[in-house]
């Protein structure tokens, strides 16, 4: 957690961000750490009840202050969402801001490197893009060469059908215009595909930026349950299919419980 809080501040230009909000389940120790080590730099927001990842991010976005102003040209706010179990690399933020500066309806993701859940060692990942199957599970796919054939070659941002969900940046006004996340989804699961579909189908675009890298701990199992033992992944996926997929939802219905 301390690496997640400290590294975004140390590996960016301070003029690019102000008061990133943090939402989490730690109580006294986290509050003490923020107060002692990061005064006036991190805003810690507490929910009164368990809201889960989806509504928790919406709460965090509503509390975010003015954030990124890129070379005084990027007017307006940019929201950057990071999971708690992340560590950013050097110069990670600037490459994410450039495509948003050029088009406010562009949503950008870094390349997600791997942090070992056992040793916390950081290692690089190959450049891949997001996809999904008919069970509405996210998966990584190779990037077609046609997406990498521009003048900037392998360093240029490229289109991705979907995002992994834990790490992305987007214009605040565009986030609100899209309706944010689907607040009817519960706790966790499917929200990454839902917002990906929403972006592409509502006039936006989703890019992965190879020059921005952020490490992420891919845990071996989900470390928390759901209220009443309900399968929130299935609930959320069915909601996604029936809202966004029209007749294609029948292909999902055969695989979803």
């Amino acid at each position: 957690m301390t690496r997640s809080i400290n590294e975004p501040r140390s590996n960016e230009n301070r003029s690019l961000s102000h008061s990133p909000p943090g939402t989490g389940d730690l109580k006294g120790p986290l509050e003490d750490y923020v107060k002692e080590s990061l005064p006036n730099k991190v805003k810690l927001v507490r929910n009164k009840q368990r809201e889960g990842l989806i509504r928790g991010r919406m709460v965090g976005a509503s509390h975010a202050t003015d954030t990124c102003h890129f070379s005084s040209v990027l007017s307006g706010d940019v929201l950057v969402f990071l999971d708690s179990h992340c560590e950013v690399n050097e110069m990670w933020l600037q490459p994410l801001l450039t495509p948003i500066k050029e088009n406010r309806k562009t949503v950008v993701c870094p390349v997600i490197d791997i942090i070992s859940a056992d040793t916390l060692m950081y290692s690089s990942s190959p450049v891949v893009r997001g996809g999904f199957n008919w069970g509405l599970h996210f998966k990584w796919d190779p990037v077609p060469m046609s997406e990498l054939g521009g003048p900037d070659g392998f360093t240029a941002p490229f289109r991705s059908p979907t995002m992994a969900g834990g790490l992305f940046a987007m214009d605040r006004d565009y986030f609100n215009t899209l309706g944010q996340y689907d607040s009817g989804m519960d706790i966790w699961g499917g929200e990454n595909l839902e917002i990906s579909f929403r972006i592409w189908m509502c006039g936006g675009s989703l890019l992965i930026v190879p020059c921005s890298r952020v490490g992420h701990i891919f845990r071996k199992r989900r470390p928390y349950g759901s209220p009443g033992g309900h399968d929130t992944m299935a609930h959320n996926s069915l909601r996604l299919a029936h809202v966004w997929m029209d007749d294609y939802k029948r292909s999902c219905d055969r695989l979803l419980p």
Side-chain angles (χ1 to χ4, degrees):
M1 176 66 80
T2 57
R3 285 163 67 171
S4 299
I5 294 174
N6 281 322
E7 292 303 319
R9 301 292 305 177
S10 61
N11 284 341
E12 70 181 19
N13 185 325
R14 290 294 194 278
S15 66
L16 297 179
S17 69
H18 306 281
S19 301
T23 57
D25 296 326
L26 297 175
K27 295 192 181 293
L30 179 58
E31 292 176 354
D32 294 341
Y33 180 82
V34 169
K35 184 183 299 183
E36 295 171 6
S37 302
L38 299 164
N40 304 317
K41 295 180 180 178
V42 173
K43 180 188 297 182
L44 185 62
V45 178
R46 294 288 184 197
N47 292 319
K48 294 182 179 180
Q49 61 185 20
R50 184 183 182 187
E51 298 290 355
L53 179 150
I54 299 164
R55 288 189 289 272
R57 286 189 167 188
M58 295 170 71
V59 170
S62 70
H63 284 273
T65 61
D66 292 344
T67 51
C68 307
H69 299 275
F70 188 41
S71 301
S72 71
V73 176
L74 181 61
S75 60
D77 298 339
V78 173
L79 298 171
V80 181
F81 294 90
L82 296 174
D83 280 344
S84 60
H85 39 285
C86 288
E87 181 177 7
V88 302
N89 215 313
E90 295 182 3
M91 297 295 291
W92 67 283
L93 184 56
Q94 291 87 338
L96 295 179
L97 298 181
T98 301
I100 301 174
K101 168 180 173 285
E102 296 170 351
N103 185 343
R104 293 186 178 280
K105 292 185 177 180
T106 299
V107 180
V108 291
C109 305
V111 172
I112 304 177
D113 289 332
I114 299 169
I115 299 176
S116 169
D118 298 318
T119 66
L120 298 184
M121 293 294 293
Y122 189 111
S123 59
S124 62
S125 293
V127 175
V128 289
R129 69 178 189 173
F132 63 96
N133 59 26
W134 286 116
L136 295 181
H137 293 104
F138 175 85
K139 64 189 183 75
W140 293 111
D141 290 328
V143 183
M145 289 303 298
S146 59
E147 290 288 334
L148 302 173
D152 294 326
F154 291 94
T155 65
F158 55 86
R159 295 178 299 173
S160 181
T162 65
M163 67 166 77
L167 309 85
F168 68 97
M170 68 186 298
D171 178 82
R172 182 211 296 268
D173 289 340
Y174 186 52
F175 179 67
N176 291 327
T177 298
L178 285 182
Q180 304 185 3
Y181 283 102
D182 180 351
S183 61
M185 288 186 165
D186 290 330
I187 306 299
W188 173 91
E191 79 288 339
N192 57 320
L193 298 188
E194 196 277 338
I195 199 168
S196 299
F197 286 18
R198 189 186 293 244
I199 290 163
W200 282 114
M201 297 174 75
C202 296
S205 60
L206 177 59
L207 303 181
I208 291 178
V209 183
C211 290
S212 175
R213 286 183 171 265
V214 177
H216 179 273
I217 297 176
F218 292 93
R219 294 176 288 200
K220 297 177 180 178
R221 61 178 180 84
R222 185 176 167 187
Y224 48 83
S226 301
H230 298 302
D231 186 346
T232 59
M233 178 70 184
H235 168 270
N236 295 346
S237 296
L238 282 168
R239 186 177 175 93
L240 157 65
H242 283 262
V243 170
W244 291 107
M245 299 187 71
D246 297 331
D247 289 343
Y248 291 103
K249 66 178 180 288
R250 297 190 182 95
S251 298
C252 302
D253 287 342
R254 289 194 292 266
L255 295 175
L256 292 170

